[in-house]
Amino acid sequence: MSDRYSDRSRVVKLVFIVVGVLFVGRLAMLQLFDPKYRQLADQQALRNVTQYPARGFIYDRKGRLLVHNEAVYDLMVIPRMVKDLDTAYFCQSLGITRDDFDQRMQKARKYSPYSASIFMKQISKEEYAKFENKMFRFKGFYISQRTLRIYDRPIAAQVLGYVGEVDQGDLDRDPYYKQGDYIGKSGLEKSYEEVLRGVKGKRVMHVDVHNREIGPYAGGVYDTLPVEGWNLYTSIDADLQQYAEELMANKRGCVVALEPSTGEVLAMVSAPCYDPNLLVGRIRGENYKKLNADIAKPMLNRALMGQYPPGSIFKVAQSMVALDLGVITPGSGFVCDKSLVGCHNHPSAQSVQEAIKMSCNPYFYQVYRRVIQQGKYKSIYKDSQYGLTVWREYMLRFGFGQKLPIDLPMNGVQKGNIPDTAYYNRWYGKERWAFSTIYSNSIGQGEVTVVPIQMANLAAIVANRGYYITPHVVRFYGPDSLRREEYNERHETGIKREYFDIAAAGMYDVVHVAGGTARRARVDGLDVCGKTGTAENYGNDHSVFICFAPKNDPKIAMAVYVENAQGGGGTWAAPIAGLLVEKYLNGEVKRKDVEKMYREAEPCQKLPLTRRVKKKKK
Amino acid sequence: MYQEKLKIDWTTVGLWLFLALFGWVNIYAATYNGDQAGVFDMATFHGKQLLWIAAAALVALVVMFTEPRFFSNGAYIIYALVLALLVVTLFIATVSHGGKSWIDLGFFRLQPSEFAKFATALALAKFMSGIDVEWRQAHTKVVALLLIAVPAALVFLQHDTGSALVFLAFVFPLFREGLSGAILVTGVAAIALFVLALLVNKYILIGALVLLAAAYLFVWLNKRTTRDWLRAGAVLVCCVAFVFSVDFVFNHVLEAHQSERINVLLGKSEDLQGAGYNVHQSKIAIGSGGFFGKGFLRGTVTKADFVPEQHTDFIFCTVGEEWGWLGSSILVAAYVWLLVRLVNMAERQRSRFARFYGYSVASVLFIHLFVNVGMVLGLVPVIGIPLPFFSYGGSSMLAFTILLFIFIRQDASKNQLL
């Protein structure tokens, strides 16, 4: 039926269709062209719960636990979800003030009102137990479990290192880490971070409008289980390490003990030590500040980061180089001519072995002169240049003058200094220097500096009669007992074994024969071979001692360094080394009186020391 | 009784069935909580809705077996009965959702305002199909307006503003019967002016209106008669008065929550926790659906009760989230198809009664679609009215089905009627 208004049906239909098209267009705007809503939906309806894996444990060489974990709880908050909170009751339950609460909320809100951030870090198991049954009253808050390091034996802090929250650099470098994650900051925790950390797991939980977890999102297909971190099995002997730390108490310095045949680190002490438990949990920040401000630098691993003149222990290396070059023979004798360089009173050495025993300065003056000025060139300057280059190459083969590799973080590790020609040219000008300029190197003074690990390594080289294995702290790790081969490499000095036998014999005499400088290192029944050193310095001399034992088939090689100690190497470093050798090889120390004496002694000058120029012994 | 074979428009019936069943699927999804009870569990929304759909189908069958004359002859009686019910409701209603529009019958909560729509449509159609009724006559306009205004006012008194607004739908059938198009234009212009008055500084707006009037007089017209001046002046005065009244209406006539909803819609306030919460959440739910949607029962926003009223007024969110742009567009297309088809059917009726009624059906459904989906998409202020055949609810399902099937019944035997 049509009439004069029939055409109006078109208008009506047009209105209907236009509205339909409008809706479809609007839907396209929301669903196809604006990713915002998808993100918002995921943000509010899904909660990514990170599942932190337990960090791997660290064991000593006998399977004793050095580092393990303890559960702590982070209180998380999603500010937007916080509703009807009885703030006073909440603060009281947590033991915080209202101001503190406001600050924390402010911070969380600033991070994001919609997503979770940490409200309070590392609530202990005990605190959590008190808090747990009140949780239902605090909408918008939930608990996330984490683990913290715990050290039953508070030893080897500088070697083990500590774990801390990731910083911006870590976040930029590795996308694995998210804000608030933990990472190894130093020591083994850092160098074996990838091994220890495991793999984080993730649970995507579907939460409802009341922030209750409804269940796993999409049946859990996006969930991953955390993979526990792998354990480290270190070569540290916990008993030896602890004993060394006890002996180094009240002192500054370090002890490095190696197993010569494997390069394994048995003990690495840097005194003053600190309790690694201080750098765990909520107390870390404050303690870190304190330790960092301490002028004795307890956080510094002196074994790797200290750089000292080697003193007389260097003579062992010098004699090996000279013998190998053929500029002296094992039977070479030199008069103890104190006009060349100062010395103590002793008969002149008739052989290399005797010279090492007596630590005769003029003897090694002569030895070094023959190494540096071999007579290859007429000009003593050119001759010295040549000699120094040859000598330096030998020294590098001993592991000196370079960062000695070790499976610990290498930043901050010192190279020591074995000067090359360029070094002296810079100081004196090209061909403006000769042996007479650099003779102090002969007795381990002058421009030569070494790092304690390098000294221990020197003892290991003599113990091995000519080679060393790259020092390492970790023997193997993980369930498959993997190891890092680059830290098990064998390095040859290229010097004949028989020459090292002479060095070993000399070092034996140092400890055992009348006239030796380290009689205090002697342990009945053990043939300890050692060499004392007294490194001149501002402040009192450093007391240095390297040793290995037993003489044949050595099990331990060691360097002991006591900073600014009153007295030479024989006075402090040698007896401490003796006690440590006795402890390691015999299992216990019988000489309780000696032990007590050195444990309680405080030989080091008080810090701060100001540099004062000491007249060189002439 | 002799009965000529009915020519039932199966397409419309099919669209009705599609909307009801797709609606049911989405109600099932919207209230799904993981450990779902059986499909026929009468304690659940989807179980009850299945019952309503069955009941509605039964009622549709009854309507189809009823003589079409029953509805035209009984239009005024039905209208009177429903009006009486509305009045009764005002006194015995159960208060729910801030409205007093429900009568609790124990097993069923009846919402009489849902039934007022088809009753009004019948009465108005009956009146407009009178032999000597012409829209031009003033008394026709008055009676028609009263027929609409009385039930609308009663519904308004129940604090059900949304359902009262639906009575604006009758503008379309009246337009078809001769109502001036200027009314429609004026209505749209008024809405536009209202929005502008809220968004733009009033004096700037008035300045623009004056400029517009000047442009009409001096640019549009070549010759200006006194009549033109008077007309332009009157329109301008009305507009200015309207603009100044907006504030008053906004602050004193509308309830606080209504003003706030309008503010949210216009972006003047972003109260995501309060008035803006529903629409914000529904936009999130729909927007996160993407092209294909997250899949049946896979919605995260609607599943987690972020969207309130998601099985009733906000049911479209579930479609948007789980069925994506594709599913939503198909649903919108199905509605538009139904509406256009109803208009076409109305045009082929031989009686003015059936035609007017057909237009009424299409218009009422259209207003519901426009307000409901517009609200969910953030295009219309939040007004709680159901999506026809789709939202959960027994009263609306039955009332819409009756509304539709009376027309299908008229259409099926249109050739028998004069």
Side-chain angles (χ1 to χ4, degrees):
Chain A
M1 193 173 108
S2 68
D3 55 63
R4 51 183 288 222
Y5 296 122
S6 301
D7 281 351
R8 289 191 168 184
S9 70
R10 291 192 195 166
V11 177
V12 175
K13 283 192 275 185
L14 186 71
V15 170
F16 294 172
I17 290 168
V18 164
V19 167
V21 170
L22 185 77
F23 284 171
V24 171
R26 173 71 172 172
L27 281 165
M29 255 173 71
L30 294 177
Q31 298 182 307
L32 307 182
F33 302 114
D34 196 342
K36 179 176 89 183
Y37 295 104
R38 175 98 221 186
Q39 290 158 7
L40 284 171
D42 288 351
Q43 255 175 37
Q44 68 175 13
L46 302 182
R47 180 193 292 158
N48 280 313
V49 183
T50 306
Q51 294 194 287
Y52 295 98
R55 211 170 160 82
F57 293 175
I58 302 180
Y59 294 92
D60 89 335
R61 68 187 291 111
K62 288 177 181 155
R64 290 170 294 206
L65 203 50
L66 294 176
V67 187
H68 59 112
N69 301 319
E70 133 188 270
V72 289
Y73 302 85
D74 285 350
L75 182 61
M76 311 294 288
V77 65
I78 303 171
R80 231 209 68 174
M81 302 291 179
V82 177
K83 275 195 194 110
D84 314 323
L85 184 70
D86 182 347
T87 315
Y89 181 66
F90 180 81
C91 292
Q92 185 206 328
S93 305
L94 265 186
I96 57 173
T97 64
R98 181 60 208 245
D99 283 350
D100 199 9
F101 173 85
D102 290 339
Q103 262 172 25
R104 287 166 191 269
M105 275 312 267
Q106 184 70 31
K107 200 179 152 201
R109 221 175 270 126
K110 207 172 156 197
Y111 173 68
S112 162
Y114 292 95
S115 40
S117 55
I118 297 175
F119 183 81
M120 193 176 209
K121 264 186 254 181
Q122 299 161 1
I123 298 171
S124 73
K125 216 181 301 174
E126 294 73 29
E127 286 174 293
Y128 174 62
K130 279 183 271 171
F131 193 64
E132 189 185 9
N133 54 355
K134 300 173 185 166
M135 276 305 290
F136 75 98
R137 296 180 61 170
F138 309 135
K139 262 188 199 166
F141 290 90
Y142 70 97
I143 286 287
S144 164
Q145 194 184 322
R146 299 278 279 260
T147 57
L148 280 189
R149 289 310 224 185
I150 184 162
Y151 307 84
D152 289 341
R153 297 176 78 157
I155 54 170
Q158 297 101 334
V159 177
L160 298 171
Y162 66 94
V163 175
E165 219 166 287
V166 291
D167 57 30
Q168 197 54 47
D170 300 322
L171 291 173
D172 294 343
R173 197 186 58 249
D174 189 343
Y176 173 86
Y177 298 103
K178 297 281 171 286
Q179 194 81 49
D181 283 359
Y182 290 107
I183 189 172
K185 289 282 187 187
S186 71
L188 290 175
E189 298 278 17
K190 183 176 184 185
S191 57
Y192 285 89
E193 164 70 11
E194 281 79 7
V195 174
L196 288 166
R197 74 183 179 192
V199 182
K200 280 187 286 187
K202 190 177 76 168
R203 275 192 311 154
V204 185
M205 296 303 290
H206 190 188
V207 295
D208 72 4
V209 68
H210 307 296
N211 198 29
R212 288 179 301 223
E213 291 185 356
I214 302 172
Y217 172 62
V221 295
Y222 298 106
D223 296 5
T224 50
L225 281 173
V227 180
E228 283 196 0
W230 286 353
N231 298 335
L232 296 185
Y233 301 90
T234 69
S235 57
I236 300 283
D237 184 311
D239 289 342
L240 182 69
Q241 175 82 25
Q242 187 173 345
Y243 189 59
E245 290 189 9
E246 283 167 20
L247 290 178
M248 291 301 286
N250 318 318
K251 303 167 190 74
R252 287 189 311 278
C254 60
V255 174
V256 182
L258 304 170
E259 185 176 70
S261 56
T262 58
E264 290 171 0
V265 175
L266 300 173
M268 185 181 275
V269 177
S270 178
C273 307
Y274 67 92
D275 181 344
N277 287 307
L278 290 176
L279 293 184
V280 172
R282 274 188 279 169
I283 54 169
R284 197 186 81 232
E286 206 170 306
N287 287 329
Y288 182 89
K289 258 185 247 162
K290 273 190 210 155
L291 288 171
N292 210 24
D294 191 336
I295 49 170
K297 296 202 190 313
M299 303 247 281
L300 186 79
N301 188 352
R302 290 170 155 80
L304 304 176
M305 300 168 189
Q307 195 166 220
Y308 310 90
S312 299
I313 61 162
F314 208 54
K315 293 169 184 166
V316 178
Q318 296 287 45
S319 54
M320 293 302 102
V321 174
L323 285 169
D324 195 61
L325 282 169
V327 296
I328 58 167
T329 62
S332 297
F334 295 101
V335 178
C336 181
D337 181 355
K338 293 196 182 69
S339 66
L340 300 172
V341 55
C343 202
H344 52 107
N345 290 320
H346 62 87
S348 291
Q350 299 305 316
S351 67
V352 173
Q353 187 178 337
E354 270 189 24
I356 290 174
K357 182 190 87 178
M358 296 167 183
S359 195
C360 177
N361 287 342
Y363 186 96
F364 286 96
Y365 175 97
Q366 299 288 8
V367 168
Y368 192 53
R369 190 170 64 102
R370 292 195 180 188
V371 171
I372 296 302
Q373 293 186 357
Q374 295 177 27
K376 304 260 181 194
Y377 295 91
K378 271 189 186 157
S379 151
I380 56 159
Y381 302 111
K382 277 194 177 157
D383 205 25
S384 295
Q385 259 185 33
Y386 171 79
L388 187 78
T389 307
V390 171
W391 170 78
R392 185 166 188 276
E393 258 165 44
Y394 273 105
M395 285 302 155
L396 292 180
R397 279 191 254 157
F398 276 87
F400 293 122
Q402 59 189 302
K403 281 188 182 183
L404 193 63
I406 185 166
D407 55 348
L408 284 169
M410 292 308 281
N411 56 325
V413 172
Q414 294 294 338
K415 295 191 331 195
N417 187 31
I418 300 296
D420 56 8
T421 53
Y423 181 90
Y424 287 118
N425 287 344
R426 213 163 41 241
W427 274 104
Y428 303 108
K430 202 166 155 55
E431 298 186 9
R432 298 279 299 277
W433 54 272
F435 170 73
S436 52
T437 327
I438 64 170
Y439 73 93
S440 296
N441 292 343
S442 61
I443 57 167
Q445 296 289 343
E447 289 74 41
V448 174
T449 56
V450 299
V451 182
I453 183 94
Q454 294 172 342
M455 300 187 212
N457 197 45
L458 175 63
I461 290 169
V462 181
N464 288 336
R465 310 295 196 268
Y467 69 91
Y468 69 95
I469 313 283
T470 307
H472 52 273
V473 182
V474 172
R475 303 171 91 186
F476 51 87
Y477 58 86
D480 301 327
S481 301
L482 303 172
R483 67 176 198 172
R484 293 187 172 167
E485 290 305 327
E486 67 267 35
Y487 297 114
N488 286 275
E489 264 175 47
R490 180 173 161 146
H491 305 264
E492 302 288 345
T493 55
I495 296 170
K496 278 186 201 141
R497 188 178 173 84
E498 60 207 68
Y499 297 147
F500 282 103
D501 281 332
I502 294 166
M507 286 168 72
Y508 179 85
D509 293 347
V510 166
V511 180
H512 291 93
V513 175
T517 53
R519 303 287 302 274
R520 292 193 204 181
R522 193 154 79 187
V523 183
D524 287 340
L526 293 177
D527 44 355
V528 179
C529 307
K531 181 74 197 80
T532 56
T534 305
E536 292 177 4
N537 206 282
Y538 59 94
N540 285 344
D541 295 344
H542 298 323
S543 171
V544 195
F545 187 68
I546 64 169
C547 66
F548 64 89
K551 185 179 171 199
N552 296 312
D553 192 19
K555 294 283 182 241
I556 182 168
M558 191 174 356
V560 177
Y561 223 104
V562 185
E563 286 181 17
N564 308 115
Q566 192 69 51
T571 320
W572 296 105
I576 288 173
L579 288 166
L580 287 170
V581 170
E582 185 180 2
K583 175 77 178 175
Y584 184 67
L585 294 179
N586 290 348
E588 63 169 327
V589 174
K590 292 241 171 67
R591 302 171 291 153
K592 294 293 177 197
D593 51 333
V594 182
E595 180 186 289
K596 185 169 184 290
M597 173 183 159
Y598 288 102
R599 191 187 291 204
E600 289 170 0
E602 293 185 36
C604 305
Q605 272 178 303
K606 293 275 177 289
L607 291 174
L609 295 170
T610 46
R611 182 183 284 275
R612 63 188 161 91
V613 181
K614 263 191 95 172
K615 217 179 93 192
K616 270 183 191 161
K617 282 179 191 165
K618 268 276 176 185
Chain B
M1 188 171 68
Y2 171 72
Q3 181 90 44
E4 199 194 332
K5 196 171 184 296
L6 297 177
K7 286 189 171 170
I8 297 169
D9 192 89
W10 288 109
T11 307
T12 309
V13 176
L15 283 169
W16 168 80
L17 194 64
F18 166 73
L19 292 173
L21 292 182
F22 193 31
W24 180 84
V25 163
N26 282 289
I27 290 164
Y28 183 88
T31 55
Y32 182 78
N33 59 10
D35 43 24
Q36 197 70 334
V39 166
F40 297 103
D41 187 339
M42 287 306 136
T44 61
F45 286 119
H46 62 263
K48 286 183 196 158
Q49 182 74 356
L50 206 58
L51 183 70
W52 304 140
I53 292 172
L58 199 68
V59 169
L61 209 63
V62 170
V63 170
M64 292 310 287
F65 279 107
T66 310
E67 281 287 312
R69 249 171 307 166
F70 170 79
F71 296 107
S72 53
N73 293 348
Y76 290 137
I77 298 167
I78 294 170
Y79 182 72
L81 284 174
V82 171
L83 282 191
L85 200 57
L86 285 174
V87 173
V88 170
T89 309
L90 280 177
F91 294 102
I92 63 164
T94 315
V95 178
S96 167
H97 291 81
K100 297 192 292 182
S101 51
W102 306 81
I103 298 176
D104 200 337
L105 299 178
F107 65 99
F108 177 54
R109 296 215 302 179
L110 186 72
Q111 195 179 8
S113 55
E114 292 294 341
F115 297 91
K117 293 163 202 165
F118 87 83
T120 308
L122 281 175
L124 204 55
K126 177 71 182 172
F127 170 71
M128 290 300 291
S129 60
I131 295 166
D132 51 359
V133 172
E134 285 281 344
W135 180 250
R136 272 173 294 153
Q137 299 156 337
H139 78 91
T140 305
K141 291 178 186 172
V142 171
V143 173
L145 198 65
L146 276 175
L147 282 174
I148 299 167
V150 171
L154 287 170
V155 172
F156 187 78
L157 285 176
Q158 296 172 358
H159 295 281
D160 191 353
T161 319
S163 293
L165 278 175
V166 172
F167 287 89
L168 286 175
F170 292 107
V171 167
F172 288 104
L174 290 175
F175 170 69
R176 170 63 184 83
E177 299 303 324
L179 176 73
S180 167
I183 302 279
L184 287 180
V185 174
T186 310
V188 172
I191 293 171
L193 209 55
F194 187 83
V195 169
L196 283 172
L198 289 174
L199 288 179
V200 185
N201 181 301
K202 263 191 292 297
Y203 297 99
I204 294 174
L205 187 62
I206 288 165
L209 287 169
V210 170
L211 280 178
L212 213 61
Y216 168 75
L217 285 172
F218 297 106
V219 181
W220 183 260
L221 299 176
N222 291 326
K223 282 191 282 182
R224 288 160 290 279
T225 61
T226 319
R227 219 178 119 88
D228 291 329
W229 279 99
L230 284 175
R231 188 158 55 189
V235 170
L236 186 63
V237 167
C238 286
C239 287
V240 171
F242 183 76
V243 167
F244 277 111
S245 73
V246 164
D247 272 351
F248 178 78
V249 169
F250 199 70
N251 294 327
H252 299 287
V253 176
L254 293 180
E255 291 180 34
H257 71 275
Q258 291 168 333
S259 310
E260 187 55 28
R261 283 171 183 181
I262 291 171
N263 273 335
V264 167
L265 181 75
L266 297 180
K268 285 175 76 177
S269 114
E270 200 190 45
D271 183 7
L272 296 185
Q273 289 297 305
Y277 177 77
N278 289 16
V279 173
H280 181 64
Q281 287 297 342
S282 84
K283 281 200 277 190
I284 290 175
I286 293 167
S288 66
F291 187 84
F292 288 110
K294 296 175 187 170
F296 182 52
L297 300 183
R298 297 251 175 84
T300 55
V301 182
T302 48
K303 280 296 152 306
D305 302 333
F306 283 103
V307 188
E309 300 295 327
Q310 52 185 306
H311 57 293
T312 57
D313 296 342
F314 281 84
I315 187 70
F316 194 84
C317 295
T318 309
V319 184
E321 188 178 19
E322 297 194 348
W323 301 86
W325 185 77
L326 196 63
S328 316
S329 299
I330 288 172
L331 182 60
V332 170
Y335 273 111
V336 173
W337 185 9
L338 177 65
L339 296 178
V340 170
R341 184 158 193 92
L342 285 172
V343 171
N344 287 339
M345 281 163 70
E347 283 297 327
R348 75 189 182 196
Q349 299 305 310
R350 300 177 67 185
S351 78
R352 203 175 169 188
F353 171 81
R355 184 177 72 202
F356 190 93
Y357 184 77
Y359 265 94
S360 301
V361 174
S363 306
V364 167
L365 295 181
F366 168 72
I367 292 286
H368 272 271
L369 176 75
F370 178 71
V371 172
N372 181 284
V373 178
M375 158 186 85
V376 170
L377 295 180
L379 296 172
V380 171
V382 174
I383 298 167
I385 57 174
L387 193 57
F389 315 117
F390 212 89
S391 290
Y392 171 81
S395 293
S396 70
M397 178 53 89
L398 285 170
F400 281 122
T401 304
I402 292 169
L403 178 79
L404 179 67
F405 274 83
I406 288 175
F407 182 59
I408 294 176
R409 180 68 189 88
Q410 302 283 330
D411 177 69
S413 54
K414 58 181 177 291
N415 292 326
Q416 300 165 20
L417 296 163
L418 286 172

